[in-house]
Amino acid sequence: SQQGEEDPQALSIQEGENATMNCSYKTSINNLQWYRQNSGRGLVHLILIRSNEREKHSGRLRVTLDTSKKSSSLLITASRAADTASYFCATVPVDSSYKLIFGSGTRLLVRP
Amino acid sequence: DADVTQTPRNRITKTGKRIMLECSQTKGHDRMYWYRQDPGLGLRLIYYSFDVKDINKGEISDGYSVSRQAQAKFSLSLESAIPNQTALYFCATSDSLTGYNEQFFGPGTRLTVL
């Protein structure tokens, strides 16, 4: 069963605005990852945050992790039309480190 | 990820046919995975393999089988395809040495079962 749930399911913003996506999960994790999927294509790894980290940055991406609330957020700053895609969080459970459990994703549309 | 390739990219078949999807990787990773994705949903794990001759069932293995012929190749078979196996199928790899299970995905195979 899916562990991660993302919110919102869909997000439409204007180019230049920031986009924030949230992810909640249910069990203890080793790490949490965010992936991007362009329509009908494969998933691309964006960023990984370990369970003992609270915030991580990579270019225009900022990820936060709150293990007490079992939640994470992905912020994309100064969005571009090319950021239009689906974004998935995925968790690696502590007791099953080979697993990568995906949420249902957030569809982001960035309007030019 | 161009280092993970899948064939075919698209396939239309009929109920009851046997179908094989193939995955190859040049990343040198030991672990390989097969997932399926249905519209509006995340990915669900079908099978995974930690190395050649190591095969493990995932969340939704019924109706599927796999073969790890070499470290670089992992194929997925549908012995007798049915319409509810219509989906997007992804192969992925990871390196157990990193400890983080960051996975690298192929471009996907869109399978339609009529």
Side-chain angles (χ1 to χ4, degrees):
Chain A
S1 61
Q2 296 295 323
Q3 173 170 235
E5 293 296 331
E6 275 130 306
D7 169 54
Q9 290 187 335
L11 180 61
S12 179
I13 60 174
Q14 202 72 36
E15 202 165 30
E17 294 179 338
N18 295 342
T20 300
M21 290 160 263
N22 303 296
C23 168
S24 61
Y25 57 92
K26 296 177 183 173
T27 63
S28 296
I29 61 171
N30 175 292
N31 66 76
L32 184 145
Q33 303 173 32
W34 285 90
Y35 287 81
R36 166 194 169 124
Q37 182 182 31
N38 287 80
S39 181
R41 306 283 292 274
L43 278 74
V44 176
H45 183 268
L46 294 176
I47 194 167
L48 178 153
I49 187 165
R50 297 190 297 261
S51 60
N52 62 353
E53 296 177 311
R54 292 297 165 257
E55 186 170 315
K56 203 161 182 181
H57 296 256
S58 176
R60 293 185 296 112
L61 305 180
R62 172 179 169 254
V63 171
T64 62
L65 179 64
D66 186 336
T67 52
S68 66
K69 294 181 179 178
K70 292 187 166 58
S71 67
S72 173
S73 67
L74 172 68
L75 168 68
I76 304 174
T77 59
S79 63
R80 305 166 182 167
D83 294 329
T84 294
S86 291
Y87 293 82
F88 294 89
C89 72
T91 53
V92 176
V94 165
D95 59 354
S96 307
S97 62
Y98 65 91
K99 286 186 181 178
L100 194 57
I101 301 176
F102 286 86
S104 52
T106 292
R107 295 187 308 280
L108 174 65
L109 171 65
V110 182
R111 305 187 303 275
Chain B
D1 192 314
D3 298 326
V4 184
T5 57
Q6 293 183 233
T7 57
R9 294 295 312 279
N10 288 282
R11 182 73 184 267
I12 299 174
T13 191
K14 294 182 179 180
T15 297
K17 294 291 188 181
R18 184 177 187 275
I19 296 297
M20 179 180 287
L21 309 182
E22 304 206 29
C23 175
S24 293
Q25 54 118 345
T26 58
K27 300 190 77 68
H29 289 172
D30 52 338
R31 296 183 173 185
M32 297 187 75
Y33 310 80
W34 276 104
Y35 293 91
R36 83 176 259 175
Q37 183 180 32
D38 294 280
L41 299 179
L43 277 66
R44 292 183 291 168
L45 182 63
I46 306 172
Y47 271 95
Y48 61 99
S49 169
F50 286 169
D51 208 336
V52 178
K53 297 188 190 299
D54 175 77
I55 301 292
N56 303 280
K57 293 183 177 180
E59 183 186 354
I60 52 164
S61 59
D62 287 350
Y64 302 94
S65 63
V66 291
S67 172
R68 184 87 183 265
Q69 304 97 319
Q71 190 182 47
K73 296 185 182 297
F74 193 34
S75 53
L76 175 72
S77 293
L78 287 68
E79 296 301 325
S80 180
I82 56 177
N84 76 1
Q85 291 177 314
T86 293
L88 198 51
Y89 290 85
F90 290 102
C91 173
T93 73
S94 70
D95 183 353
S96 63
L97 293 179
T98 69
Y100 292 128
N101 198 16
E102 174 187 347
Q103 295 189 13
F104 297 82
F105 286 80
T109 294
R110 186 171 297 281
L111 177 65
T112 303
V113 183
L114 301 176

